Amino acid sequence: MQISDKYSPQETENKWYSYWLENNYFHSEPNEKPPYTIVIPPPNVTGILHMGHMLNNTIQDVLVRRARMQGFNTCWVPGTDHASIATEAKVVAKLKSEGINKSDITREEFLKHAWDWTDKYGGTILEQLKKLGCSCDWERTRFTMEPKLSQQVIKSFVDLYNKGLIYRGYRMVNWDPEAKTNISDEEVIFKEQNGKLYYLKYKIEGTEDFLSVATTRPETIFGDTAVCINPDDERYAHLKGKNVIVPIANRVIPVIEDDYVDIEFGTGALKITPAHDTNDYEIGQRHGLAMIDSLDDDANLNSHGLHYAGKNRFEVRKAIAKELEEKGLLLKAEDYVNKVGTSERTGAVIEPKVSVQWFLKMSEIAKPALDVVMNDEVKFHPEKFKNTYKHWMENIRDWNISRQLWWGQQIPAYFYGEGENDFVVAETFEEALVLAKEKTNNQELTTDNLMQDEDALDTWFSSWLWPISVFDGMLDTENKEIDYYYPTSDLVTGPDIIFFWVARMIMAGLEYRNEVPFKNVYFTGIVRDKQRRKMSKSLGNSPDPIELIEKYGADGVRVGILLSSAAGNDLLFDEELMLQGRNFATKIWNAYKLTQGWSKDETIKANESDRQAIEWFGNQMDKTIAEIADQFEKFRISDALHLVYKLVWDDFCAWYLEAVKPAFGQPISKEVYDQTIAYFEELMKLLHPFMPFLSEELWQNIAERSPENALVITQQKKSQNYSDELIKNFETSKDMVSGVRNYRQSKGISPREAVEVFTNAESFSNENLVKKLANISEINFARKTEKPSFTFLIGGTEISIPLSENLDLAEEKIKTEEELKYLKGFLISVEKKLSNEKFVANAKPEIVDAERKKQQDAQDKIALLEEKMKTL
């Protein structure tokens, strides 16, 4: 078929993606083939594609497309996450802009607004993934809030509650005043902030003396219920059993003793605010202290804050410091760098708060999930993340699974009275009523007497079931899909959610299927800019992936992002890599176009040079296929791409095509042409997982193909036996050709001017090929020339080219003298190092060997140049 001069990504991408969808190549049903399953890490339903998504999904698509071409029945399940905190915040903001407060409407009304928002803005990211070329089974798209998935989440809660693993407790939680919900420990990000350490004066009751207490949060004094000292601190021995008066609040509180207090920190006296600090809460529990919660859900002071009631905590911090100073109750304030907990989702400073929440006991289900990773039943790539995982799993806390939100699965606990345990847990109201009647022995109860818990479940409590729930494995535990597709094959995700998601999915898989949910976890790096900053909207340093696709083509972008993406290492984004990806696409296009410009002649037989090139490239390709398989086995996707890149750009374009290319205006042997196209087809198969659009376009251009023969479902070549010796000999031939080309370039000799060569070798491998590629008129084996020459070494083989008559010999002599001078100076420095006994004794053997090789090479080159000087 006719091929256009330039590759047009936009036209090609739309055409072939539509073709793939029309022919249902991405859809999977259980069959006799081995399955290869990946579940997508579900992005936020209303999210849009960012660089992290692009990296993650490109890697997934490479794995899926390759598996499809390796004979697997591939199933890549797409879907989105309801992202309760983020989505609810957006809906609340939208309602606010319309003059509606969440507190003024019912839960049902709010959920209608949330579903409308989701329907309007949801799913954009999945459409964007199609632009990238993602070969997901779109018919299987799931959403964590869809009825069947919600049903499975509720079923899981009820099951774990009945097993005694879920409980309701009064605990200190991490309160996000912006999202107005508590969040888990894993969702708290600690950041260093510049603040002040305030030294407050607490008057000792019954005296005129004061006790100095240091705090970073003077606004919490309204919740103080004690001052604590270390029992071994002799400075305060006289205060044991005494009381002090809280500044401004003027409340009398006791001085207590506890080993927790660090004698060296601050003044060695600690104000205890059990309602507003995790450690204070623990001390309060040990000493039976009262709890005074002086902050509301917005982190404003409440009535306990006296004249500061209604004011924001940070505003009060400044104002109260001023008041304390005016009243002589502030000793001093020092600059202080403090680590402050912030919400991973909203960025708000977390407020420790005591409340009743639902928790999942983790110690029991964590141990098996730790064991399967440590014994490599689930393999981490790179392996370094095993230590991170181990540390967290061995220090795991119970998971706070309730959230003060409406968007999410509502906790299936139904209250029938005011008592702490006046509730039942069931999947439906009807089942709850039966249980409530049994528990109370009151048959008069109706559903009107039941009140469902207002809280929703943590979003992660739905996504931890994802590899099971997408196949409805909690509804029908033995359905054919869960039996066939589970456990999934590989998971591709970021290390930042190793605890939120990866660990919990492993726990859920073992709990509900008694099987791990996946065999391999590939951790991508974090995409950063050149200044190593994480890409974010707020910094304005994150390019729009869709704009990059429009500029460089999807294949160019995929190659660009993978070239720099080693597993688990952060990726420093550079748009130049996208350009490199586009240039690679252009190189492949032009290589194919070159072959299409050749006229074929059936009467011409392949010559010796052609046969040498064909034999070498076949072996080189088999070797590279084996190396690619090895890199995929190790999940070194970037290294696998580099191998394909080298095979295409260097081996095929730079060497093979040059070797078989007919002379200008001459036809090519049809036998050689057919083999060249056969090789090109194999290259398209290897390229396809990385560059699906370009490879399919060229594949379809080579010959008319039926839908059954589309590249997307064609099987890749398996590596055959190859000859290392043949490949090694060809590398030597390449070095010889490069040496001759280097002579031409350095001396300004035209490539068209044939050269004569003298060598100490008896023969060359690939002699005909070397003569063609280097444009050598004659090779004089085992002969020296007396003429002034350009000489170079390939191993022990000496190659001399008599200098062209057009060269200025005087100038050549000056250049040779300069080169000799440099080499002799270099040799002196190397020999000086080798004569240093300390260096030779202490350096690694390979370093000493490298220096000796430098010495030998320099000596050989000097000998050649001195020989050359004689002829000059």
Side-chain angles (χ1 to χ4, degrees):
M1 284 183 247
Q2 187 65 35
I3 184 168
S4 60
D5 281 347
K6 283 188 177 176
Y7 174 52
S8 168
Q10 278 74 21
E11 187 186 318
T12 302
E13 288 162 14
N14 293 333
K15 174 174 72 177
W16 292 117
Y17 204 85
S18 298
Y19 179 80
W20 294 330
L21 290 179
E22 283 162 20
N23 286 284
N24 224 16
Y25 294 128
F26 305 157
H27 182 59
S28 172
E29 290 290 340
N31 63 21
E32 71 290 344
K33 287 183 179 180
Y36 177 86
T37 317
I38 282 189
V39 290
I40 201 170
N44 288 3
V45 63
T46 57
I48 56 168
L49 196 68
H50 59 57
M51 296 300 289
H53 292 132
M54 193 163 76
L55 169 63
N56 184 299
N57 287 283
T58 297
I59 291 167
Q60 287 178 83
D61 195 47
V62 167
L63 293 171
V64 168
R65 284 182 182 272
R66 182 172 182 270
R68 193 178 287 124
M69 299 176 85
Q70 298 266 323
F72 289 90
N73 178 5
T74 58
C75 180
W76 183 10
V77 183
T80 50
D81 185 87
H82 63 277
S84 51
I85 294 177
T87 306
E88 180 146 333
K90 285 177 180 173
V91 176
V92 168
K94 175 189 172 283
L95 291 174
K96 214 169 199 175
S97 70
E98 296 168 3
I100 304 169
N101 283 322
K102 178 187 169 186
S103 54
D104 296 338
I105 58 175
T106 64
R107 188 187 197 110
E108 287 66 33
E109 288 169 327
F110 179 83
L111 288 175
K112 186 181 181 308
H113 285 290
W115 277 109
D116 289 346
W117 173 272
T118 302
D119 293 341
K120 185 175 179 181
Y121 297 103
T124 301
I125 193 165
L126 298 184
E127 291 306 308
Q128 291 177 317
L129 289 178
K130 293 176 183 177
K131 294 276 185 199
L132 189 60
C134 293
S135 58
C136 301
D137 186 347
W138 298 109
E139 291 177 38
R140 291 183 175 276
T141 304
R142 306 303 297 259
F143 175 45
T144 53
M145 272 284 279
E146 68 176 80
K148 275 193 171 181
L149 265 70
S150 287
Q151 196 182 337
Q152 293 177 79
V153 172
I154 298 304
K155 189 178 271 294
S156 164
F157 183 98
V158 174
D159 173 70
L160 293 166
Y161 176 79
N162 290 336
K163 287 174 178 172
L165 292 171
I166 285 178
Y167 64 93
R168 189 167 176 259
Y170 197 58
R171 298 280 188 282
M172 175 70 73
V173 297
N174 308 298
W175 184 259
D176 179 341
E178 198 169 306
K180 292 191 180 54
T181 180
N182 79 88
I183 60 174
S184 68
D185 293 337
E186 291 72 40
E187 291 166 292
V188 178
I189 309 295
F190 285 91
K191 295 178 181 175
E192 282 196 348
Q193 289 187 3
N194 293 319
K196 298 274 186 189
L197 188 60
Y198 301 89
Y199 289 79
L200 313 187
K201 292 163 75 176
Y202 285 65
K203 191 174 183 183
I204 299 164
E205 188 184 32
T207 74
E208 292 303 311
D209 296 333
F210 289 88
L211 172 63
S212 177
V213 177
T215 180
T216 57
R217 303 191 61 199
E219 71 277 10
T220 61
I221 58 173
F222 301 106
D224 287 359
T225 55
V227 166
C228 191
I229 57 172
N230 190 301
D232 298 327
D233 194 340
E234 293 176 6
R235 294 173 297 173
Y236 300 126
H238 65 290
L239 293 179
K240 291 180 181 183
K242 300 279 179 73
N243 294 325
V244 293
I245 298 165
V246 180
I248 298 176
N250 291 321
R251 270 186 303 103
V252 176
I253 58 173
V255 174
I256 62 171
E257 302 166 58
D258 198 287
D259 290 333
Y260 170 78
V261 179
D262 181 356
I263 295 173
E264 303 298 321
F265 178 76
T267 64
L270 189 69
K271 68 192 240 6
I272 304 300
T273 318
H276 298 297
D277 182 273
T278 308
N279 296 314
D280 290 8
Y281 173 77
E282 299 291 342
I283 292 171
Q285 292 291 295
R286 285 199 292 274
H287 295 270
L289 298 176
M291 272 199 293
I292 302 172
D293 189 347
S294 59
L295 293 168
D296 65 17
D297 288 352
D298 294 308
N300 295 329
L301 276 287
N302 58 24
S303 57
H304 290 293
L306 306 176
H307 47 290
Y308 291 111
K311 291 183 178 174
N312 181 269
R313 55 186 166 161
F314 299 124
E315 186 188 331
V316 173
R317 187 174 298 175
K318 289 178 183 174
I320 205 165
K322 192 177 177 189
E323 184 182 350
L324 288 162
E325 191 172 16
E326 287 168 355
K327 291 183 171 175
L329 295 171
L330 179 66
L331 197 63
K332 60 179 177 176
E334 297 173 342
D335 288 337
Y336 186 71
V337 177
N338 198 15
K339 276 201 168 180
V340 176
T342 62
S343 167
E344 186 250 357
R345 186 59 66 189
T346 66
V349 172
I350 289 301
E351 198 56 61
K353 191 177 179 69
V354 177
S355 68
V356 176
Q357 301 292 339
W358 292 89
F359 295 87
L360 173 57
K361 292 177 186 174
M362 297 298 273
S363 55
E364 199 174 306
I365 59 173
K367 190 180 182 315
L370 172 59
D371 293 342
V372 294
V373 169
M374 299 320 290
N375 67 23
D376 285 339
E377 196 176 330
V378 175
K379 288 183 180 172
F380 280 5
H381 307 272
E383 206 175 358
K384 66 180 182 182
F385 288 109
K386 279 172 77 171
N387 287 334
T388 311
Y389 182 85
K390 182 173 185 278
H391 177 75
W392 184 73
M393 293 293 268
E394 287 179 342
N395 296 279
I396 201 163
R397 290 182 172 190
D398 288 355
W399 177 11
N400 174 355
I401 55 174
S402 48
R403 298 290 178 270
Q404 287 63 59
L405 301 166
W406 283 350
W407 178 242
Q409 286 89 10
Q410 192 171 353
I411 289 176
Y414 299 85
F415 292 84
Y416 52 79
E418 298 298 319
E420 201 173 301
N421 295 307
D422 289 352
F423 67 86
V424 291
V425 170
E427 289 183 44
T428 64
F429 253 105
E430 292 70 30
E431 289 174 26
L433 183 60
V434 172
L435 291 173
K437 284 178 177 178
E438 283 176 16
K439 194 172 176 182
T440 59
N441 205 20
N442 178 2
Q443 297 306 310
E444 304 302 313
L445 283 179
T446 68
T447 50
D448 291 340
N449 301 121
L450 299 181
M451 174 72 74
Q452 189 173 355
D453 194 307
E454 283 282 298
D455 289 354
L457 285 159
D458 179 10
T459 305
W460 297 107
F461 193 80
S462 58
S463 49
W464 81 318
L465 298 174
W466 188 245
I468 301 172
S469 60
V470 293
F471 300 114
D472 295 330
M474 297 288 293
L475 300 178
D476 179 357
T477 57
E478 292 179 16
N479 76 70
K480 67 173 184 178
E481 298 223 325
I482 192 79
D483 283 348
Y484 179 74
Y485 292 116
Y486 188 97
T488 67
S489 306
D490 304 323
L491 178 76
V492 180
T493 188
D496 49 335
I497 55 174
I498 189 170
F499 313 129
F500 292 131
W501 196 43
V502 179
R504 290 168 179 167
M505 279 192 289
I506 295 172
M507 292 180 207
L510 293 170
E511 179 68 24
Y512 287 113
R513 303 289 306 172
N514 203 26
E515 259 187 305
V516 295
F518 27 71
K519 302 173 192 82
N520 295 286
V521 183
Y522 176 100
F523 291 107
T524 64
I526 292 168
V527 184
R528 299 185 182 276
D529 64 14
K530 288 181 189 174
Q531 297 171 47
R532 297 191 171 272
R533 299 177 303 176
K534 189 174 177 179
M535 287 193 161
S536 69
K537 277 187 204 167
S538 56
L539 286 173
N541 63 347
S542 181
D544 180 348
I546 299 301
E547 285 178 14
L548 289 174
I549 289 170
E550 286 165 1
K551 189 173 178 182
Y552 298 105
D555 289 336
V557 167
R558 287 165 68 111
V559 167
I561 203 158
L562 284 177
L563 281 174
S564 59
S565 169
N569 293 324
D570 288 353
L571 181 154
L572 298 184
F573 175 76
D574 186 346
E575 207 166 313
E576 282 296 310
L577 290 165
M578 310 288 135
L579 182 60
Q580 188 179 344
R582 187 176 70 185
N583 290 346
F584 186 40
T586 302
K587 180 79 173 177
I588 297 162
W589 188 264
N590 289 341
Y592 177 67
K593 202 165 64 139
L594 172 71
T595 66
Q596 297 313 287
W598 297 339
S599 61
K600 283 81 73 182
D601 190 331
E602 292 192 23
T603 64
I604 302 173
K605 294 294 175 196
N607 59 36
E608 188 59 31
S609 168
D610 294 333
R611 280 193 287 272
Q612 287 167 355
I614 287 167
E615 188 182 17
W616 160 72
F617 189 75
N619 277 268
Q620 182 64 53
M621 182 154 62
D622 276 319
K623 183 182 184 203
T624 305
I625 289 170
E627 290 171 340
I628 290 167
D630 180 55
Q631 296 301 339
F632 269 103
E633 194 70 29
K634 295 169 181 169
F635 281 81
R636 292 179 176 163
I637 316 295
S638 180
D639 292 341
L641 173 58
H642 276 95
L643 287 167
V644 176
Y645 189 97
K646 180 190 174 297
L647 182 68
V648 174
W649 191 299
D650 295 348
D651 298 332
F652 185 76
C653 297
W655 289 101
Y656 177 79
L657 287 183
E658 286 298 311
V660 300
K661 185 171 71 175
F664 183 72
Q666 297 298 308
I668 189 171
S669 156
K670 185 164 188 309
E671 177 193 344
V672 176
Y673 174 80
D674 289 346
Q675 185 57 63
T676 301
I677 293 303
Y679 281 155
F680 191 79
E681 286 185 326
E682 294 303 333
L683 291 177
M684 291 307 98
K685 293 177 191 177
L686 293 174
L687 265 174
H688 184 76
F690 303 100
M691 305 179 83
F693 296 108
L694 172 79
S695 55
E696 186 77 75
E697 171 74 5
L698 292 172
W699 175 264
Q700 299 280 355
N701 192 281
I702 290 168
E704 282 212 27
R705 318 265 188 187
S706 66
E708 294 76 35
N709 292 312
L711 180 58
V712 65
I713 53 168
T714 299
Q715 298 304 286
Q716 285 185 344
K717 182 181 190 291
K718 295 278 189 285
S719 178
Q720 308 294 319
N721 289 335
Y722 55 86
S723 166
D724 269 322
E725 189 181 355
L726 190 148
I727 293 167
K728 189 181 172 188
N729 287 341
F730 196 88
E731 288 303 312
T732 303
S733 303
K734 282 159 75 172
D735 289 341
M736 288 176 181
V737 172
S738 298
V740 177
R741 287 175 177 172
N742 182 38
Y743 157 71
R744 294 181 194 281
Q745 193 178 358
S746 64
K747 309 305 175 196
I749 308 296
S750 167
R752 292 194 184 88
E753 186 181 320
V755 296
E756 188 180 8
V757 163
F758 290 80
T759 177
N760 61 349
E762 297 290 336
S763 64
F764 285 169
S765 294
N766 308 307
E767 180 187 336
N768 298 67
L769 192 59
V770 170
K771 286 175 82 171
K772 177 181 178 179
L773 288 171
N775 191 10
I776 296 171
S777 57
E778 189 180 351
I779 301 175
N780 298 282
F781 290 107
R783 283 184 61 194
K784 273 196 167 193
T785 176
E786 298 303 319
K787 296 177 186 176
S789 305
F790 176 91
T791 305
F792 60 92
L793 284 169
I794 306 290
T797 303
E798 190 178 301
I799 297 170
S800 299
I801 307 165
L803 296 175
S804 170
E805 291 172 6
N806 302 323
L807 276 179
D808 183 336
L809 294 184
E811 189 183 334
E812 187 65 25
K813 188 175 179 181
I814 292 166
K815 281 184 185 174
T816 306
E817 283 172 342
E818 284 175 358
E819 199 175 344
L820 259 173
K821 186 180 175 184
Y822 165 77
L823 278 170
K824 284 177 177 176
F826 175 75
L827 182 60
I828 288 167
S829 69
V830 173
E831 288 179 336
K832 191 176 178 183
K833 198 182 272 188
L834 287 170
S835 65
N836 182 337
E837 290 176 13
K838 201 172 179 184
F839 167 75
V840 175
N842 297 328
K844 288 182 179 176
E846 57 266 32
I847 293 174
V848 177
D849 289 344
E851 291 300 318
R852 288 195 174 121
K853 189 176 183 310
K854 285 180 194 174
Q855 180 187 34
Q856 187 61 53
D857 289 348
Q859 287 168 344
D860 291 346
K861 284 177 186 173
I862 287 167
L864 281 175
L865 290 175
E866 284 175 340
E867 214 37 55
K868 180 179 174 182
M869 283 297 290
K870 289 175 189 173
T871 64
L872 289 170

